[in-house]
Amino acid sequence: MTGADGEAESLQKLAGAAARWMSNTSGTAVECAAVLHRQRSCTVTAGSTAGTAALAASEDEHVDGPTALGSALAAPTVIGQAGARWQAYRKRLLEHGLGAALALPLELQPGSSAALVFLGPPDYGFPARILADASWFGEVASQSLKLALDVHGVIRAGDNLKQVLESRTSIDVACGVLMAQNRCSYAEAFSRLAGTSRNRNLKVRSVADGILKAMPSGAPRTRFEPPAIA
Protein backbone atom coordinates (compact mmCIF):
# COMPACT_ATOMS: atom_id res chain seq x y z
CA MET A 1 0.00 0.00 0.00
CA THR A 2 2.82 2.41 0.88
CA GLY A 3 3.55 4.69 -2.06
CA ALA A 4 1.29 2.75 -4.44
CA ASP A 5 -0.85 4.74 -6.88
CA GLY A 6 -3.46 2.02 -7.35
CA GLU A 7 -4.41 -1.63 -7.01
CA ALA A 8 -2.02 -2.79 -9.74
CA GLU A 9 0.97 -1.18 -8.05
CA SER A 10 -0.03 -2.55 -4.65
CA LEU A 11 -0.24 -6.04 -6.16
CA GLN A 12 3.17 -5.52 -7.78
CA LYS A 13 4.70 -4.55 -4.44
CA LEU A 14 3.12 -7.59 -2.80
CA ALA A 15 4.51 -9.93 -5.46
CA GLY A 16 8.00 -8.50 -4.98
CA ALA A 17 7.81 -8.77 -1.19
CA ALA A 18 6.47 -12.32 -1.42
CA ALA A 19 9.32 -13.41 -3.72
CA ARG A 20 11.92 -11.96 -1.35
CA TRP A 21 10.31 -13.61 1.67
CA MET A 22 10.05 -17.04 0.02
CA SER A 23 13.61 -16.85 -1.33
CA ASN A 24 14.92 -16.14 2.17
CA THR A 25 12.74 -18.82 3.74
CA SER A 26 13.56 -21.56 1.24
CA GLY A 27 17.19 -20.68 0.70
CA THR A 28 16.82 -20.63 -3.08
CA ALA A 29 15.78 -18.03 -5.65
CA VAL A 30 11.97 -18.13 -5.95
CA GLU A 31 9.83 -15.85 -8.09
CA CYS A 32 6.20 -14.88 -7.51
CA ALA A 33 3.20 -14.23 -9.75
CA ALA A 34 0.05 -12.54 -8.39
CA VAL A 35 -3.50 -12.30 -9.69
CA LEU A 36 -6.45 -10.27 -8.37
CA HIS A 37 -10.03 -10.91 -9.55
CA ARG A 38 -12.81 -8.43 -8.64
CA GLN A 39 -16.45 -8.33 -9.69
CA ARG A 40 -17.19 -5.77 -12.41
CA SER A 41 -13.48 -5.02 -12.77
CA CYS A 42 -10.69 -6.18 -15.04
CA THR A 43 -8.33 -8.82 -13.69
CA VAL A 44 -5.15 -7.34 -12.23
CA THR A 45 -1.89 -9.28 -12.54
CA ALA A 46 1.67 -8.73 -11.38
CA GLY A 47 4.96 -10.55 -10.96
CA SER A 48 8.28 -10.21 -9.22
CA THR A 49 9.93 -10.32 -12.68
CA ALA A 50 8.80 -9.50 -16.20
CA GLY A 51 8.55 -13.23 -16.97
CA THR A 52 6.35 -14.08 -14.00
CA ALA A 53 4.18 -11.01 -14.69
CA ALA A 54 3.62 -12.29 -18.26
CA LEU A 55 2.86 -15.75 -16.92
CA ALA A 56 0.24 -14.33 -14.54
CA ALA A 57 -1.31 -12.22 -17.31
CA SER A 58 -1.71 -15.31 -19.52
CA GLU A 59 -3.65 -17.34 -16.92
CA ASP A 60 -7.15 -16.46 -18.11
CA GLU A 61 -6.10 -16.83 -21.75
CA HIS A 62 -4.91 -20.41 -21.25
CA VAL A 63 -7.31 -21.30 -18.41
CA ASP A 64 -4.94 -24.00 -17.20
CA GLY A 65 -3.29 -22.41 -14.19
CA PRO A 66 -4.17 -22.24 -10.48
CA THR A 67 -5.20 -18.58 -10.57
CA ALA A 68 -7.29 -18.61 -13.77
CA LEU A 69 -10.83 -17.39 -13.22
CA GLY A 70 -12.86 -20.41 -12.11
CA SER A 71 -9.80 -22.31 -10.84
CA ALA A 72 -9.70 -20.76 -7.37
CA LEU A 73 -8.03 -22.93 -4.73
CA ALA A 74 -9.18 -23.22 -1.13
CA ALA A 75 -5.77 -24.07 0.34
CA PRO A 76 -2.04 -23.84 -0.51
CA THR A 77 -1.35 -26.28 -3.34
CA VAL A 78 1.96 -27.58 -4.67
CA ILE A 79 1.86 -28.11 -8.42
CA GLY A 80 4.54 -30.68 -9.19
CA GLN A 81 5.10 -33.35 -11.79
CA ALA A 82 2.33 -35.68 -10.60
CA GLY A 83 -1.31 -35.28 -11.60
CA ALA A 84 -2.94 -34.67 -14.96
CA ARG A 85 -4.79 -31.49 -14.02
CA TRP A 86 -1.78 -29.19 -14.23
CA GLN A 87 0.20 -30.81 -17.06
CA ALA A 88 -0.38 -28.00 -19.58
CA TYR A 89 0.46 -25.40 -16.94
CA ARG A 90 3.59 -27.32 -15.93
CA LYS A 91 4.70 -27.38 -19.56
CA ARG A 92 4.40 -23.59 -19.74
CA LEU A 93 6.41 -23.26 -16.52
CA LEU A 94 9.21 -25.36 -17.97
CA GLU A 95 9.19 -23.22 -21.12
CA HIS A 96 9.85 -20.23 -18.85
CA GLY A 97 12.73 -22.03 -17.11
CA LEU A 98 10.67 -22.72 -13.97
CA GLY A 99 9.80 -25.91 -12.10
CA ALA A 100 7.36 -26.64 -9.29
CA ALA A 101 4.82 -24.04 -8.24
CA LEU A 102 3.17 -23.32 -4.91
CA ALA A 103 -0.24 -21.63 -5.30
CA LEU A 104 -1.35 -19.65 -2.26
CA PRO A 105 -4.94 -18.32 -2.21
CA LEU A 106 -5.55 -15.07 -0.35
CA GLU A 107 -8.69 -14.40 1.69
CA LEU A 108 -10.37 -11.13 0.67
CA GLN A 109 -13.81 -9.54 0.92
CA PRO A 110 -16.75 -11.24 -0.87
CA GLY A 111 -16.65 -10.48 -4.57
CA SER A 112 -12.85 -10.44 -4.66
CA SER A 113 -10.28 -13.22 -4.90
CA ALA A 114 -6.52 -13.24 -5.24
CA ALA A 115 -3.64 -15.67 -5.21
CA LEU A 116 0.13 -15.73 -5.11
CA VAL A 117 2.00 -18.39 -7.05
CA PHE A 118 5.57 -19.06 -5.91
CA LEU A 119 7.72 -20.39 -8.75
CA GLY A 120 10.96 -22.23 -8.11
CA PRO A 121 13.74 -23.38 -10.45
CA PRO A 122 13.30 -26.69 -12.38
CA ASP A 123 15.21 -28.77 -9.81
CA TYR A 124 13.42 -27.37 -6.75
CA GLY A 125 10.46 -28.81 -4.84
CA PHE A 126 8.52 -27.17 -2.03
CA PRO A 127 8.99 -29.24 1.17
CA ALA A 128 6.30 -29.67 3.84
CA ARG A 129 7.83 -27.08 6.17
CA ILE A 130 7.49 -24.45 3.47
CA LEU A 131 3.75 -25.16 3.22
CA ALA A 132 3.29 -24.29 6.90
CA ASP A 133 5.30 -21.09 6.52
CA ALA A 134 3.40 -20.20 3.35
CA SER A 135 0.05 -20.55 5.14
CA TRP A 136 1.21 -18.03 7.74
CA PHE A 137 2.46 -15.68 5.03
CA GLY A 138 -0.87 -15.99 3.22
CA GLU A 139 -2.71 -14.68 6.29
CA VAL A 140 -0.38 -11.68 6.52
CA ALA A 141 -0.58 -11.00 2.79
CA SER A 142 -4.39 -11.26 2.85
CA GLN A 143 -4.68 -8.60 5.55
CA SER A 144 -2.19 -6.37 3.75
CA LEU A 145 -4.00 -6.61 0.40
CA LYS A 146 -7.40 -6.10 2.06
CA LEU A 147 -6.16 -2.89 3.63
CA ALA A 148 -4.62 -1.68 0.37
CA LEU A 149 -7.85 -2.31 -1.56
CA ASP A 150 -9.88 -0.50 1.12
CA VAL A 151 -7.55 2.51 1.01
CA HIS A 152 -7.62 2.70 -2.78
CA GLY A 153 -11.42 2.47 -2.66
CA VAL A 154 -11.63 5.41 -0.25
CA ILE A 155 -9.26 7.45 -2.42
CA ARG A 156 -11.36 6.76 -5.53
CA ALA A 157 -14.54 7.71 -3.68
CA GLY A 158 -12.92 10.96 -2.54
CA ASP A 159 -11.77 11.79 -6.06
CA ASN A 160 -15.25 11.12 -7.44
CA LEU A 161 -16.84 13.30 -4.76
CA LYS A 162 -14.38 16.10 -5.52
CA GLN A 163 -15.29 15.97 -9.23
CA VAL A 164 -19.00 16.03 -8.40
CA LEU A 165 -18.61 19.02 -6.07
CA GLU A 166 -16.51 20.96 -8.57
CA SER A 167 -18.98 20.18 -11.36
CA ARG A 168 -21.93 21.22 -9.21
CA THR A 169 -20.22 24.48 -8.24
CA SER A 170 -19.51 25.42 -11.87
CA ILE A 171 -23.13 24.77 -12.79
CA ASP A 172 -24.45 26.77 -9.83
CA VAL A 173 -22.18 29.76 -10.57
CA ALA A 174 -23.13 29.68 -14.25
CA CYS A 175 -26.81 29.63 -13.28
CA GLY A 176 -26.14 32.67 -11.09
CA VAL A 177 -24.66 34.50 -14.05
CA LEU A 178 -27.69 33.66 -16.21
CA MET A 179 -30.05 34.71 -13.42
CA ALA A 180 -28.35 38.11 -13.19
CA GLN A 181 -28.23 38.59 -16.96
CA ASN A 182 -31.80 37.50 -17.67
CA ARG A 183 -33.51 38.33 -14.35
CA CYS A 184 -34.84 34.79 -14.12
CA SER A 185 -35.15 32.07 -11.48
CA TYR A 186 -32.59 29.33 -10.82
CA ALA A 187 -34.90 26.76 -12.41
CA GLU A 188 -35.17 28.87 -15.57
CA ALA A 189 -31.41 29.40 -15.69
CA PHE A 190 -30.72 25.69 -15.31
CA SER A 191 -33.31 24.96 -18.00
CA ARG A 192 -31.34 27.23 -20.35
CA LEU A 193 -28.13 25.34 -19.54
CA ALA A 194 -29.82 21.99 -20.08
CA GLY A 195 -31.34 23.13 -23.39
CA THR A 196 -27.97 24.32 -24.70
CA SER A 197 -26.45 21.04 -23.51
CA ARG A 198 -28.93 19.01 -25.55
CA ASN A 199 -28.71 21.22 -28.66
CA ARG A 200 -24.90 21.16 -28.73
CA ASN A 201 -24.55 17.58 -27.51
CA LEU A 202 -22.37 18.71 -24.61
CA LYS A 203 -22.40 17.98 -20.91
CA VAL A 204 -24.10 20.59 -18.73
CA ARG A 205 -20.76 21.08 -16.94
CA SER A 206 -19.08 21.93 -20.27
CA VAL A 207 -21.76 24.51 -21.11
CA ALA A 208 -21.40 26.03 -17.65
CA ASP A 209 -17.60 26.20 -17.99
CA GLY A 210 -18.01 27.98 -21.34
CA ILE A 211 -20.20 30.65 -19.74
CA LEU A 212 -17.75 31.16 -16.88
CA LYS A 213 -14.73 31.40 -19.19
CA ALA A 214 -16.51 34.13 -21.17
CA MET A 215 -16.79 36.31 -18.06
CA PRO A 216 -14.54 39.43 -18.07
CA SER A 217 -12.69 38.18 -14.99
CA GLY A 218 -12.43 34.63 -16.31
CA ALA A 219 -13.75 31.46 -14.74
CA PRO A 220 -13.59 31.35 -10.92
CA ARG A 221 -11.41 28.59 -9.51
CA THR A 222 -12.92 25.94 -7.27
CA ARG A 223 -10.87 23.92 -4.80
CA PHE A 224 -11.95 21.21 -2.41
CA GLU A 225 -9.38 19.95 0.05
CA PRO A 226 -9.77 17.85 3.21
CA PRO A 227 -9.60 19.80 6.46
CA ALA A 228 -6.21 19.97 8.11
CA ILE A 229 -5.68 17.54 10.98
CA ALA A 230 -4.02 19.07 14.01
Side-chain angles (χ1 to χ4, degrees):
M1 178 181 65
T2 305
D5 291 332
E7 295 173 356
E9 192 170 346
S10 284
L11 195 66
Q12 180 65 51
K13 288 177 176 288
L14 179 57
R20 291 190 296 271
W21 173 83
M22 180 58 82
S23 296
N24 291 333
T25 301
S26 64
T28 189
V30 175
E31 300 174 9
C32 181
V35 177
L36 170 65
H37 297 291
R38 307 194 76 183
Q39 289 182 350
R40 296 183 295 277
S41 296
C42 295
T43 299
V44 181
T45 59
S48 54
T49 64
T52 51
L55 192 64
S58 68
E59 285 267 344
D60 284 345
E61 175 187 350
H62 293 280
V63 198
D64 60 5
T67 61
L69 196 59
S71 302
L73 303 174
T77 302
V78 174
I79 300 171
Q81 296 181 356
R85 179 180 180 184
W86 308 111
Q87 286 305 303
Y89 180 68
R90 276 275 301 164
K91 181 179 179 181
R92 290 200 294 123
L93 292 184
L94 293 173
E95 290 173 352
H96 283 78
L98 300 167
L102 169 57
L104 183 65
L106 303 183
E107 183 179 349
L108 302 178
Q109 301 291 350
S112 300
S113 64
L116 301 175
V117 182
F118 295 104
L119 302 161
D123 58 347
Y124 179 76
F126 291 94
R129 68 175 182 83
I130 294 295
L131 284 177
D133 290 341
S135 295
W136 168 83
F137 184 84
E139 295 177 4
V140 176
S142 295
Q143 294 302 319
S144 175
L145 188 55
K146 275 183 185 178
L147 180 58
L149 295 178
D150 286 344
V151 169
H152 292 312
V154 170
I155 291 173
R156 281 197 304 272
D159 290 342
N160 291 339
L161 178 59
K162 179 180 177 182
Q163 291 176 0
V164 169
L165 291 174
E166 290 180 343
S167 178
R168 186 72 237 182
T169 299
S170 295
I171 293 171
D172 284 344
V173 174
C175 283
V177 173
L178 293 177
M179 290 167 66
Q181 291 176 344
N182 299 281
R183 297 183 181 276
C184 62
S185 66
Y186 180 91
E188 291 172 329
F190 185 82
S191 179
R192 287 172 178 261
L193 281 181
T196 303
S197 170
R198 290 191 298 270
N199 293 335
R200 297 183 181 179
N201 195 26
L202 296 172
K203 293 182 178 179
V204 175
R205 165 73 186 272
S206 299
V207 176
D209 286 342
I211 292 174
L212 298 181
K213 289 177 181 177
M215 295 174 63
S217 58
R221 298 183 63 185
T222 57
R223 291 183 61 191
F224 296 92
E225 296 180 355
I229 300 176

mmCIF file of all heavy atoms in Angstrom, residues 191-215:
data_model
loop_
_atom_site.group_PDB
_atom_site.id
_atom_site.type_symbol
_atom_site.label_atom_id
_atom_site.label_comp_id
_atom_site.label_asym_id
_atom_site.label_seq_id
_atom_site.Cartn_x
_atom_site.Cartn_y
_atom_site.Cartn_z
ATOM 1 N N SER A 191 -32.631 25.445 -16.801
ATOM 2 C CA SER A 191 -33.305 24.957 -18.003
ATOM 3 C C SER A 191 -32.593 25.448 -19.255
ATOM 4 O O SER A 191 -32.475 24.716 -20.248
ATOM 5 C CB SER A 191 -34.764 25.409 -18.002
ATOM 6 O OG SER A 191 -35.431 24.966 -19.161
ATOM 7 N N ARG A 192 -32.096 26.697 -19.213
ATOM 8 C CA ARG A 192 -31.336 27.228 -20.355
ATOM 9 C C ARG A 192 -30.043 26.425 -20.560
ATOM 10 O O ARG A 192 -29.673 26.086 -21.692
ATOM 11 C CB ARG A 192 -30.999 28.699 -20.123
ATOM 12 C CG ARG A 192 -32.186 29.658 -20.254
ATOM 13 C CD ARG A 192 -31.788 31.056 -19.819
ATOM 14 N NE ARG A 192 -32.892 31.996 -19.980
ATOM 15 C CZ ARG A 192 -33.035 32.827 -21.004
ATOM 16 N NH1 ARG A 192 -32.157 32.802 -21.995
ATOM 17 N NH2 ARG A 192 -34.059 33.651 -21.058
ATOM 18 N N LEU A 193 -29.366 26.135 -19.452
ATOM 19 C CA LEU A 193 -28.134 25.338 -19.544
ATOM 20 C C LEU A 193 -28.432 23.960 -20.135
ATOM 21 O O LEU A 193 -27.714 23.478 -21.025
ATOM 22 C CB LEU A 193 -27.504 25.164 -18.160
ATOM 23 C CG LEU A 193 -26.689 26.305 -17.573
ATOM 24 C CD1 LEU A 193 -26.149 25.904 -16.211
ATOM 25 C CD2 LEU A 193 -25.548 26.688 -18.496
ATOM 26 N N ALA A 194 -29.475 23.335 -19.615
ATOM 27 C CA ALA A 194 -29.817 21.994 -20.082
ATOM 28 C C ALA A 194 -30.208 22.006 -21.560
ATOM 29 O O ALA A 194 -29.842 21.094 -22.324
ATOM 30 C CB ALA A 194 -30.958 21.424 -19.232
ATOM 31 N N GLY A 195 -30.947 23.031 -21.988
ATOM 32 C CA GLY A 195 -31.339 23.128 -23.389
ATOM 33 C C GLY A 195 -30.135 23.276 -24.303
ATOM 34 O O GLY A 195 -30.040 22.625 -25.347
ATOM 35 N N THR A 196 -29.189 24.145 -23.907
ATOM 36 C CA THR A 196 -27.970 24.317 -24.699
ATOM 37 C C THR A 196 -27.171 23.027 -24.731
ATOM 38 O O THR A 196 -26.577 22.657 -25.754
ATOM 39 C CB THR A 196 -27.115 25.450 -24.109
ATOM 40 O OG1 THR A 196 -27.888 26.647 -24.064
ATOM 41 C CG2 THR A 196 -25.863 25.679 -24.940
ATOM 42 N N SER A 197 -27.167 22.319 -23.596
ATOM 43 C CA SER A 197 -26.449 21.041 -23.508
ATOM 44 C C SER A 197 -26.994 20.042 -24.515
ATOM 45 O O SER A 197 -26.235 19.379 -25.230
ATOM 46 C CB SER A 197 -26.566 20.480 -22.088
ATOM 47 O OG SER A 197 -26.090 19.159 -22.021
ATOM 48 N N ARG A 198 -28.308 19.949 -24.600
ATOM 49 C CA ARG A 198 -28.929 19.014 -25.552
ATOM 50 C C ARG A 198 -28.686 19.437 -26.994
ATOM 51 O O ARG A 198 -28.345 18.617 -27.854
ATOM 52 C CB ARG A 198 -30.430 18.916 -25.276
ATOM 53 C CG ARG A 198 -30.801 18.204 -23.992
ATOM 54 C CD ARG A 198 -32.297 17.922 -23.949
ATOM 55 N NE ARG A 198 -33.074 19.161 -23.976
ATOM 56 C CZ ARG A 198 -33.439 19.828 -22.892
ATOM 57 N NH1 ARG A 198 -33.081 19.392 -21.694
ATOM 58 N NH2 ARG A 198 -34.161 20.934 -22.995
ATOM 59 N N ASN A 199 -28.849 20.731 -27.284
ATOM 60 C CA ASN A 199 -28.709 21.215 -28.662
ATOM 61 C C ASN A 199 -27.289 21.062 -29.191
ATOM 62 O O ASN A 199 -27.080 20.798 -30.379
ATOM 63 C CB ASN A 199 -29.132 22.681 -28.743
ATOM 64 C CG ASN A 199 -30.619 22.866 -28.488
ATOM 65 O OD1 ASN A 199 -31.407 21.942 -28.696
ATOM 66 N ND2 ASN A 199 -31.015 24.051 -28.028
ATOM 67 N N ARG A 200 -26.302 21.240 -28.310
ATOM 68 C CA ARG A 200 -24.905 21.164 -28.732
ATOM 69 C C ARG A 200 -24.264 19.801 -28.446
ATOM 70 O O ARG A 200 -23.083 19.604 -28.727
ATOM 71 C CB ARG A 200 -24.096 22.256 -28.028
ATOM 72 C CG ARG A 200 -24.540 23.671 -28.384
ATOM 73 C CD ARG A 200 -23.666 24.688 -27.706
ATOM 74 N NE ARG A 200 -24.090 26.063 -28.002
ATOM 75 C CZ ARG A 200 -23.496 27.147 -27.503
ATOM 76 N NH1 ARG A 200 -22.461 27.015 -26.681
ATOM 77 N NH2 ARG A 200 -23.939 28.345 -27.808
ATOM 78 N N ASN A 201 -25.055 18.908 -27.856
ATOM 79 C CA ASN A 201 -24.550 17.577 -27.510
ATOM 80 C C ASN A 201 -23.321 17.680 -26.593
ATOM 81 O O ASN A 201 -22.297 17.024 -26.813
ATOM 82 C CB ASN A 201 -24.203 16.775 -28.775
ATOM 83 C CG ASN A 201 -24.039 15.292 -28.480
ATOM 84 O OD1 ASN A 201 -24.608 14.764 -27.521
ATOM 85 N ND2 ASN A 201 -23.243 14.615 -29.293
ATOM 86 N N LEU A 202 -23.440 18.510 -25.592
ATOM 87 C CA LEU A 202 -22.373 18.712 -24.612
ATOM 88 C C LEU A 202 -22.905 18.407 -23.221
ATOM 89 O O LEU A 202 -24.120 18.431 -22.982
ATOM 90 C CB LEU A 202 -21.872 20.164 -24.652
ATOM 91 C CG LEU A 202 -21.209 20.646 -25.941
ATOM 92 C CD1 LEU A 202 -20.969 22.152 -25.849
ATOM 93 C CD2 LEU A 202 -19.893 19.911 -26.179
ATOM 94 N N LYS A 203 -21.997 18.149 -22.305
ATOM 95 C CA LYS A 203 -22.401 17.984 -20.914
ATOM 96 C C LYS A 203 -22.784 19.351 -20.344
ATOM 97 O O LYS A 203 -22.236 20.378 -20.752
ATOM 98 C CB LYS A 203 -21.266 17.383 -20.089
ATOM 99 C CG LYS A 203 -20.924 15.942 -20.469
ATOM 100 C CD LYS A 203 -19.830 15.399 -19.575
ATOM 101 C CE LYS A 203 -19.514 13.944 -19.927
ATOM 102 N NZ LYS A 203 -18.427 13.401 -19.067
ATOM 103 N N VAL A 204 -23.691 19.344 -19.365
ATOM 104 C CA VAL A 204 -24.099 20.590 -18.731
ATOM 105 C C VAL A 204 -22.883 21.281 -18.104
ATOM 106 O O VAL A 204 -22.751 22.510 -18.174
ATOM 107 C CB VAL A 204 -25.186 20.330 -17.661
ATOM 108 C CG1 VAL A 204 -25.529 21.609 -16.904
ATOM 109 C CG2 VAL A 204 -26.431 19.747 -18.305
ATOM 110 N N ARG A 205 -21.974 20.500 -17.537
ATOM 111 C CA ARG A 205 -20.758 21.077 -16.938
ATOM 112 C C ARG A 205 -19.944 21.826 -17.991
ATOM 113 O O ARG A 205 -19.410 22.905 -17.731
ATOM 114 C CB ARG A 205 -19.913 19.965 -16.314
ATOM 115 C CG ARG A 205 -18.462 20.335 -15.968
ATOM 116 C CD ARG A 205 -18.372 21.243 -14.767
ATOM 117 N NE ARG A 205 -17.010 21.689 -14.534
ATOM 118 C CZ ARG A 205 -16.104 21.025 -13.798
ATOM 119 N NH1 ARG A 205 -16.417 19.856 -13.249
ATOM 120 N NH2 ARG A 205 -14.905 21.523 -13.603
ATOM 121 N N SER A 206 -19.851 21.280 -19.206
ATOM 122 C CA SER A 206 -19.079 21.930 -20.270
ATOM 123 C C SER A 206 -19.719 23.255 -20.694
ATOM 124 O O SER A 206 -19.020 24.248 -20.936
ATOM 125 C CB SER A 206 -18.960 21.001 -21.482
ATOM 126 O OG SER A 206 -18.282 19.810 -21.141
ATOM 127 N N VAL A 207 -21.060 23.269 -20.765
ATOM 128 C CA VAL A 207 -21.756 24.507 -21.111
ATOM 129 C C VAL A 207 -21.526 25.549 -20.021
ATOM 130 O O VAL A 207 -21.262 26.731 -20.309
ATOM 131 C CB VAL A 207 -23.262 24.246 -21.300
ATOM 132 C CG1 VAL A 207 -23.999 25.557 -21.570
ATOM 133 C CG2 VAL A 207 -23.493 23.261 -22.434
ATOM 134 N N ALA A 208 -21.618 25.120 -18.767
ATOM 135 C CA ALA A 208 -21.404 26.033 -17.646
ATOM 136 C C ALA A 208 -19.985 26.595 -17.663
ATOM 137 O O ALA A 208 -19.767 27.801 -17.459
ATOM 138 C CB ALA A 208 -21.668 25.309 -16.333
ATOM 139 N N ASP A 209 -18.993 25.738 -17.934
ATOM 140 C CA ASP A 209 -17.601 26.205 -17.989
ATOM 141 C C ASP A 209 -17.417 27.230 -19.093
ATOM 142 O O ASP A 209 -16.663 28.203 -18.946
ATOM 143 C CB ASP A 209 -16.657 25.015 -18.213
ATOM 144 C CG ASP A 209 -16.499 24.156 -16.966
ATOM 145 O OD1 ASP A 209 -16.828 24.646 -15.864
ATOM 146 O OD2 ASP A 209 -16.057 22.992 -17.095
ATOM 147 N N GLY A 210 -18.108 27.029 -20.233
ATOM 148 C CA GLY A 210 -18.007 27.984 -21.338
ATOM 149 C C GLY A 210 -18.538 29.349 -20.947
ATOM 150 O O GLY A 210 -17.951 30.383 -21.312
ATOM 151 N N ILE A 211 -19.632 29.375 -20.191
ATOM 152 C CA ILE A 211 -20.202 30.649 -19.741
ATOM 153 C C ILE A 211 -19.238 31.347 -18.786
ATOM 154 O O ILE A 211 -18.995 32.562 -18.882
ATOM 155 C CB ILE A 211 -21.561 30.406 -19.058
ATOM 156 C CG1 ILE A 211 -22.587 29.947 -20.091
ATOM 157 C CG2 ILE A 211 -22.045 31.658 -18.327
ATOM 158 C CD1 ILE A 211 -23.923 29.535 -19.494
ATOM 159 N N LEU A 212 -18.648 30.573 -17.879
ATOM 160 C CA LEU A 212 -17.749 31.164 -16.882
ATOM 161 C C LEU A 212 -16.458 31.679 -17.521
ATOM 162 O O LEU A 212 -15.931 32.717 -17.130
ATOM 163 C CB LEU A 212 -17.438 30.148 -15.791
ATOM 164 C CG LEU A 212 -18.640 29.647 -14.977
ATOM 165 C CD1 LEU A 212 -18.202 28.669 -13.908
ATOM 166 C CD2 LEU A 212 -19.396 30.810 -14.353
ATOM 167 N N LYS A 213 -15.956 30.966 -18.517
ATOM 168 C CA LYS A 213 -14.728 31.401 -19.189
ATOM 169 C C LYS A 213 -14.953 32.691 -19.984
ATOM 170 O O LYS A 213 -14.005 33.446 -20.225
ATOM 171 C CB LYS A 213 -14.216 30.299 -20.115
ATOM 172 C CG LYS A 213 -13.648 29.093 -19.388
ATOM 173 C CD LYS A 213 -13.232 27.995 -20.365
ATOM 174 C CE LYS A 213 -12.691 26.783 -19.620
ATOM 175 N NZ LYS A 213 -12.338 25.676 -20.549
ATOM 176 N N ALA A 214 -16.198 32.928 -20.395
ATOM 177 C CA ALA A 214 -16.511 34.134 -21.171
ATOM 178 C C ALA A 214 -16.679 35.366 -20.287
ATOM 179 O O ALA A 214 -16.807 36.484 -20.799
ATOM 180 C CB ALA A 214 -17.793 33.908 -21.977
ATOM 181 N N MET A 215 -16.670 35.170 -18.968
ATOM 182 C CA MET A 215 -16.795 36.313 -18.063
ATOM 183 C C MET A 215 -15.560 37.200 -18.158
ATOM 184 O O MET A 215 -14.445 36.692 -18.393
ATOM 185 C CB MET A 215 -16.994 35.823 -16.624
ATOM 186 C CG MET A 215 -18.300 35.074 -16.391
ATOM 187 S SD MET A 215 -18.402 34.386 -14.720
ATOM 188 C CE MET A 215 -18.359 35.897 -13.749
#
